[in-house]
Structures are given as structure tokens and as C-alpha cells.
Amino acid sequence: MSRSTVSRAFTRPDLLKPETVEKVLAKAQTLGYVPNKVARALSTGQNGVIALIVPDIANPFFPPLIRAAQVDADRQDFCVLLGDSAENPAQESRLITRFTPQVDGLVLAASRLDDAALAEHARRRPVVLINRDVPGMPRVLTDSHTGFMQAIAHLAELGHEHLAYVGGPPGAWSDHQRRRGIAAARTDHGMTLTTFQAEPATYDGGKATVEAILASGATAVLAYDDVVAHGVLAGLTEHGVRVPEDMSVVGCDDVFAATTYPPLTTISLRCAEAGEIAVSVLLDLVAGRSVGDVRHSLDSHLIVRATTGPVPRA
Amino acid sequence: MSRSTVSRAFTRPDLLKPETVEKVLAKAQTLGYVPNKVARALSTGQNGVIALIVPDIANPFFPPLIRAAQVDADRQDFCVLLGDSAENPAQESRLITRFTPQVDGLVLAASRLDDAALAEHARRRPVVLINRDVPGMPRVLTDSHTGFMQAIAHLAELGHEHLAYVGGPPGAWSDHQRRRGIAAARTDHGMTLTTFQAEPATYDGGKATVEAILASGATAVLAYDDVVAHGVLAGLTEHGVRVPEDMSVVGCDDVFAATTYPPLTTISLRCAEAGEIAVSVLLDLVAGRSVGDVRHSLDSHLIVRATTGPVPRA
DNA sequence: CTGTTAGCGCCTTCAT
DNA sequence: ATGAAGGCGCTAACAG
């Protein structure tokens, strides 16, 4: 049996007698034979590999996204090359350049690169953005807007009048988006808003803002994400402030909010779906199946758990 | 000028007259020529890629490990192909087979495969195991033994006499290891031990064991990992049991124990280091730099935070 | 030092 | 429906 037949059994089974195909596949199974993608890539120009670059693998927002991306890519017979940019634009650019020759396309999550650099890289290979809104580039966004609207309505109902927002990484699309959404919603409800900055946007950064929050007189805090929210919770507790009796706290992401104690009221973002969709769009692009200005916006919603309550009586 | 000369100008410039090298590089520059890594890989068999397969990317134990592995690989100019086996041996085997032709080696974390299958795969490419102890195969282990010894001594000192262990995935090396260590240590301290099973080894699984734990009369629970521990905490709270006043809880992994509230007393495993070391060993193997029966055991230690306290008075 | 000759493993025309 | 032949771009022998 010639190599051509084997090759066809894998790539164009329709050109072969079904029983032949089956025979080849069976034999391959027992032999543990798998077509070599590298060799195939050389001849077709398609490597069957995509890259996924995130700012920080260990940030709990990303693992579900990464997993979904990997699973979805695998389903379409693609592998994923993972890169961690350490929140560093230079490192991110270096990784992209390094990956580009050996992948068919890239997914860039929460890219720290500027629009021009992004466009430049996108000229060499198809690129799909996650949580970065650059017109003209395919992008999927976990939109926190609805969730924050609901959170603020929820807090308004509980009688809160003064909110604090603890912001995340300056320049991040997701932080901008939250700031804008919150500003709009609190106006609708005639609430006061004071904003702070978790520096860095981590547990410790969140914790460090607590003193300032307390001084501001806010009775409810909206955090950039669940990690920051937990930092705030810890800081509050250290200051003897009870949650939710004395202060309400709302997180964002819903990545581990449910699996910690106390259960955090938070905004659920569809982060896994974002990974999945980004991969689907990218593979459509790679296969030349898609066109147009793709802008996938995934909505969010508030999940009330145990860290929000009525405003304390002054 | 022949292709060989050009090739050498990039890979073995020391074999060429310096001016020739310079001439080639200059021409390449103006032509925008870059050596094709894929083609090179096909001919050399060195792709500059390694695979990392984990049972569940979103299990908080793995992201730090994955990140460390990626960073270390990158430092040595390797890329990492990530795979999620979904805790499924068949899926794991499929991924390995699929990745094998296009990588120079693999790191298998917490593999669910049996020894024979592992050995079989290792014959095709260098393989390094994490948290799987197969004699003859290079392996790095996050050894929880010391940590559990310390935890049990700590609990003994607090007056506890009856322990509960909430076990993890049956068959997992890490669960065996914990069971053995705990069994030995509790004997040393003359304590009673009752074991339970978190089914599955998740937050919900941990929560579901609480009723049985309460019925057993244990006053302190050791959990398979931090996720299960948090499930136990939540279940305890739902039953009106206070921690640590009425019940002490110890987790394991120290992956997000510090960034939640209340801070969990837990056993700190060096999981990031495990990823880093595994990659180093693998790349040594790939480069033919290493030999012998590598068995890297990384010790652990107890970190006392806020979920352990004196035994309640009967 | 540099050119020549074979492949790496696969896919894709051609033939048959 | 299958086999045969050439080439993807590069590197590793082996000459010279």
C-alpha cells in the first residue's frame, strides 16, 4: 500500500473506498501512527497550530479561557501554543514574533500592545483579540456593562448612596469598560462615586486600598475583579469592618467567587466562552471561512451571594 | 551561491568565512528572508517545542506550574504546546500521540495513565513526569509528606485527637501520598483517623462530605487540596459550625489559600518550581545533557493561618 | 571553506 | 480507486 493512500485516508477520505479508509485507520491505530503535522505544514503551509497569549496564566480569569480555547482547538484538530507575556508589551511582542512563523493564527487575550503594533502583527497572520476593542480587527469582548448596571441597581435598592470603585490595570480595556459602565449607572441612580486604584491589581493591591475606601465614606465597593475583591474583603476584616453588615462588596469575573468563603456577590463574565469563540473565529479566518468586522460581545449578569446587604444606618 | 552556504550562515556561521556570512546576512536582510523553522524542524527533528499535558488547566494547582514551565521553556528558546486531558486517560493518550511528532519532549503532570502506557510513550520521545512516581522515568514530585507531618503535629499540640481526611481523586499519586503520610503521622501522635472521599475532588465534593465528617466526631479535617478545603469550609458554615472555634481545617497546595477570606491554614507545595524543574530536566534530556534515574522530590511545609485552633471543649 | 547530493514526511498533480 | 513522481525549505553527510 502506497503512502499516497495513507495520506488520502487522513486528508481526503472521500477519494477512497470506505473499506480502504477503515483498514488504514485501523492499522494506524494499532501502530500508533499519526500524520506528522510538521511535515504536512511544510508541504501545505498549514501548521495546525494556533498561539494563545495571555498576560498572566495564573490570573484566575484566564485558566477557564485557556482550557476552553484548547478544547475547542483540539476539537478542530488544532494544537495551541501558550505564551505568558507577564503583562509586559515588549515580552508580548517578542512572543508573537517568535510564534508567528510556526502558527496559522493567534489569539491575543487582554493585549497590552498599542493599536498600531497589533495591526502590524495582524498583517502577517490572522489575529483575534479578546478584551481589546480595535475596530477592524476581529475581537471578542466579555462585556461587564450589564452586570455592573445590575450591581448598582441592586445596591441602590439596598439603600446605598456612595459607591467606591477599585480599579484595575491602568490602560486595560476591561478597566476602562468598567469605569464607563459604573459612571453611567451611578448617575442614573443619583449616587456618589469615588474611584481608587488597586496598585497592582492583585489581592495585596486591593487590600491596600481599604484605608482610603473607609476614609471616603463609601458604603459599597465594586472591585475590578474577584481577586481584588478578596483583597478588599481581607483588608476590611483587618480593620474590623463586617461584610455585608458594615460594607457591601461586589467582585467581577465569577472565577472562584463561588468556591471561597464567604461566597462573593459578583458579576459573572463568560470568560470560557470568550476563549471558545475566539478560537472558532480564528479558525474560520484561517480556513478562509469568515469575513467582515467581527465584534463578539458577551454579556454579563450579577450573581448575588453573601457580600452585599442593606446600607448600614448612620 | 548554494543553499548550504546560506543555511550555514544562519546555523553554523563559524564554518564560514566571516565576510561570506556578512554578505549572506546582508542579502537576506534586503530580501526579507528568514529561515523557515518548520522546514528546519522537518530536517533536524528538533522543533523547539515541548508539550505540557495536565488533567485540568482550570484546577488552581496547575496554572502556576504551567506559567513557570512556559517561562522556563521560553528562556531556553522553546515553545510549549498545552493540552488538557480532562482527567481522562484515553484523552491524555490521544493528546500525547497527537503531540509526539511535533515536539521534542513532553511533560506529563499528574498523569492518569498506567505505568505501561507511560513507558510506551516515553520510548518515542523524552518524557518527564510531575507527581507520578514511576521508577526509571524522570519525575519531579511535590512531596506533601513533611507538610502533613507538621500539620498533624500542629493539631496534636492544639489538643486534637480525632482527625478526618477528605481524600481526592482515587488512584492519583498525590492522594496516595497524602493518605500514607497522614496515616503514619497520626500513629506517631496516637490520634484517631477517619477518611472520607470528596467525590468528585472539587468544591462541591468537599462540601458534600461535611455531614459525614460531623457525624464522625472528628475535630479537625485535613483536605486533599485547597479547593476541597473551601468546600468543607462552606459546608461547615452551612451547618452552623464555626471555624476554627468548633472545627479546624487544613488545606493543601497553597495556591489561593492566602488570597481568600478567611485565610486558610494549608500546606505549601512548590508547584511552580515543579514545572520549572520538569522543563529543565526535559530540556537536558532533549539536548542529551542528562542521564540517570532522576527523581526530584520537592518538600513542603505547613503555613498556619486562620482556620486551625484549639480543640473545642467537650 | 564551500558546493553537491540526499533525504526529513507529507501532499499533490499526474497516470494507471 | 489507487500508485508513482516531484517538491515544500532546510540540513547533514560527503566531497572537493
Side-chain angles (χ1 to χ4, degrees), chain B residues 164-209:
Chain B
Y165 172 62
V166 181
W173 172 86
S174 49
D175 188 53
H176 275 145
Q177 217 232 354
R178 281 158 218 200
R179 292 190 125 89
R180 276 210 317 271
I182 292 168
R186 69 101 185 179
T187 308
D188 294 349
H189 292 277
M191 299 164 99
T192 306
L193 173 68
T194 314
T195 70
F196 303 87
Q197 174 85 20
E199 187 61 38
T202 60
Y203 176 82
D204 289 322
K207 200 160 149 183
T209 62

Side-chain angles (χ1 to χ4, degrees), chain A residues 56 67 74 94 237 261, chain B residues 56 67 74 77 94 237 261:
Chain A
D56 178 7
R67 181 174 57 180
D74 186 59
R94 203 182 61 71
T237 305
Y261 188 78
Chain B
D56 178 7
R67 180 174 57 182
D74 185 59
D77 228 53
R94 202 182 63 69
T237 305
Y261 190 79

Side-chain angles (χ1 to χ4, degrees), chain B residues 53-55 62 92 108-113 129-132 174:
Chain B
I53 300 181
V54 303
F62 294 110
E92 183 177 353
L108 269 27
S111 175
R112 261 52 168 171
L113 261 27
L129 267 22
I130 293 180
N131 282 0
R132 187 62 194 279
S174 49

Side-chain angles (χ1 to χ4, degrees), chain A residues 1-277:
Chain A
M1 172 162 311
S2 84
R3 319 117 160 311
S4 323
T5 308
V6 178
S7 168
R8 282 190 271 256
F10 283 92
T11 49
R12 305 290 311 272
D14 52 303
L15 295 182
L16 255 37
K17 206 174 1 181
E19 59 183 67
T20 311
V21 175
E22 204 161 327
K23 201 157 50 176
V24 173
L25 262 36
K27 197 77 189 175
Q29 184 74 9
T30 71
L31 258 50
Y33 168 88
V34 197
N36 183 323
K37 295 214 168 212
V38 178
R40 174 182 299 180
L42 185 57
S43 112
T44 61
Q46 296 258 330
N47 326 53
V49 181
I50 59 174
L52 169 60
I53 299 180
V54 303
D56 178 7
I57 297 169
N59 178 329
F61 179 77
F62 294 110
L65 186 157
I66 296 170
R67 181 174 57 180
Q70 195 276 324
V71 168
D72 200 56
D74 186 59
R75 197 165 15 230
Q76 303 193 46
D77 226 52
F78 274 73
C79 302
V80 10
L81 226 42
L82 182 66
D84 186 311
S85 70
E87 323 249 4
N88 174 348
Q91 170 70 347
E92 184 177 352
S93 218
R94 203 182 61 71
L95 281 175
I96 296 174
T97 306
R98 196 154 141 33
F99 288 168
T100 291
Q102 49 199 310
V103 301
D104 298 327
L106 327 252
V107 173
L108 270 27
S111 175
R112 261 55 167 171
L113 262 28
D114 59 45
D115 291 15
L118 249 17
E120 182 61 29
H121 284 121
R123 287 208 332 233
R124 308 171 78 71
R125 285 285 186 282
V127 169
V128 174
L129 267 22
I130 293 179
N131 283 0
R132 187 63 194 279
D133 195 1
V134 179
M137 295 185 69
R139 53 216 188 276
V140 5
L141 308 164
T142 56
D143 187 340
S144 60
H145 191 257
T146 310
F148 274 109
M149 296 238 302
Q150 293 173 353
I152 289 171
H154 167 65
L155 292 170
E157 219 164 275
L158 292 168
H160 293 271
E161 293 178 339
H162 187 167
L163 304 178
Y165 172 62
V166 181
W173 172 85
S174 50
D175 189 53
H176 274 146
Q177 216 233 353
R178 282 158 216 199
R179 292 192 126 89
R180 277 209 318 269
I182 292 168
R186 69 99 188 183
T187 308
D188 294 348
H189 291 277
M191 297 163 100
T192 306
L193 173 69
T194 315
T195 72
F196 303 87
Q197 175 86 16
E199 189 60 39
T202 61
Y203 177 82
D204 289 323
K207 201 160 149 183
T209 61
V210 164
E211 209 142 326
I213 293 172
L214 257 18
S216 75
T219 59
V221 9
L222 302 162
Y224 169 71
D225 66 12
D226 290 344
V227 176
V228 170
H230 274 283
V232 170
L233 280 179
L236 252 17
T237 305
E238 276 186 7
H239 283 76
V241 179
R242 293 165 307 162
V243 175
E245 292 81 358
D246 306 326
M247 179 78 82
S248 290
V249 175
V250 178
C252 186
D253 285 358
D254 194 30
V255 281
F256 61 34
T259 65
T260 63
Y261 188 78
L264 182 69
T265 293
T266 194
I267 289 154
S268 179
L269 298 185
R270 294 149 64 187
C271 55
E273 250 175 289
E276 193 180 322
I277 293 175

